[in-house]
Each structure stands twice: as structure tokens, then as C-alpha cells.
Amino acid sequence: MKDDRTALRISLIAVSTALVAVFTMIVRVPTPSGGYINLCDVAITFIAYTFGPITGFVAGGLGTALADTLGGYMQYAPISFFVHGIEALLIALLVRRKDTGLGMKILAGIVAVTTVAGGYWLLSGLFLIGLETAVAEVPGNVIQSALGAVLGLVVSEAVRKAYRRIDSLRW
């Protein structure tokens, strides 16, 4: 039985990674400094809230890095892997218990927004475009991650109500 659960969880990671990549690539709004705004945070926060820290970290990090690589933004792939992987990990750790209240879920969303906006500002500022230029990207990253945190939470709550056994897939 344990082998079946492990195989299912690994399959879930693969599907979740693909979902993040698709959400990252399906709508891309280019920014003046060479990056883009997208819907990845909807998928990432849904996965983190629903499936836990391991699935969230791998799918969030790998899915966005894969999308950057396939979409012509290879220079952002390592930054996306780190920032979005950590975003998902932190959300999932904050809402780890099944009975986590709405306040903690909102706090997890705020941590996600801070991680994405601050992470891209710092890392792309240091390694790609300069800190002054990266400041211009912060409002877009705040909007992207805040929208993603809200929609991801809403979808997660709906799925968890419709399919109560989904909690058994947390990893």
C-alpha cells in the first residue's frame, strides 16, 4: 500500500509541475525590464494549500523554471525555481494542519506575496537587471502573487470541500 501512495504522490508532483508550467505560459504580459507577469501563482498557491510542502516546492519551483526555459526567459529560470519553490514551501508549512483557520491562510498568502515580490526584486536586481530597475517590477509581482494567493486559496477550499479525501495526498 505504501508503494501505491508513493507512486501516486510522485505522479501528483509531475502533474502539478505541468500545471504550474501551463499557468505560467498561458498568459504572459511582458514587463519593461525583460520579465513577464503571469498566472503561475494561482496554480502554485492551490498546490501548496492542497498538497503540502514537498509537492508545492517541487511543482512551484520546477514548473516556473521549466516555463521560463521553454518560453525564452532562461535567464530567469534559476530565480523562478528558488522564489516560487520557497513561496510554495512557506505557504504549505504555515497551513500544514487540516484545521488551519482562515487567519493563518491569509497570513500564508501575505508571506507568499512578500516572498515573490521581495525575492524577484533582490535576486533579479542582484544578478540580472540591477536593483533600481528591479524596483519597477515590484508592483506587478505584488499584483500577480496577491491575485494568485486569493484565487489559489478559493480553488483549494472548493476542491477540498468537494473531495474530502484529497488531504490524504498531502506530502
Side-chain angles (χ1 to χ4, degrees), residues 29-150:
V29 179
T31 61
S33 64
Y36 62 100
I37 303 299
N38 59 73
L39 298 174
C40 72
D41 295 297
V42 176
I44 292 168
T45 56
F46 163 73
I47 292 163
Y49 282 126
T50 308
F51 299 117
I54 295 172
T55 303
F57 176 78
V58 174
L62 194 55
T64 55
L66 181 63
D68 285 345
T69 301
L70 294 173
Y73 293 88
M74 178 66 176
Q75 70 276 20
Y76 281 95
I79 294 169
S80 293
F81 179 86
F82 181 78
V83 169
H84 289 294
I86 296 299
E87 168 195 19
L89 179 67
L90 292 174
I91 289 170
L93 290 174
L94 286 169
V95 300
R96 192 166 196 135
R97 294 179 41 204
K98 284 201 286 192
D99 61 346
T100 300
L102 182 60
M104 185 58 77
K105 292 175 182 177
I106 292 170
L107 176 62
I110 293 168
V111 168
V113 171
T114 304
T115 300
V116 171
Y120 273 100
W121 169 75
L122 182 63
L123 296 176
S124 67
L126 288 175
F127 299 112
L128 296 177
I129 59 177
L131 292 172
E132 288 180 17
T133 304
V135 167
E137 300 291 310
V138 170
N141 284 325
V142 167
I143 292 167
Q144 171 186 306
S145 56
L147 179 65
V150 170

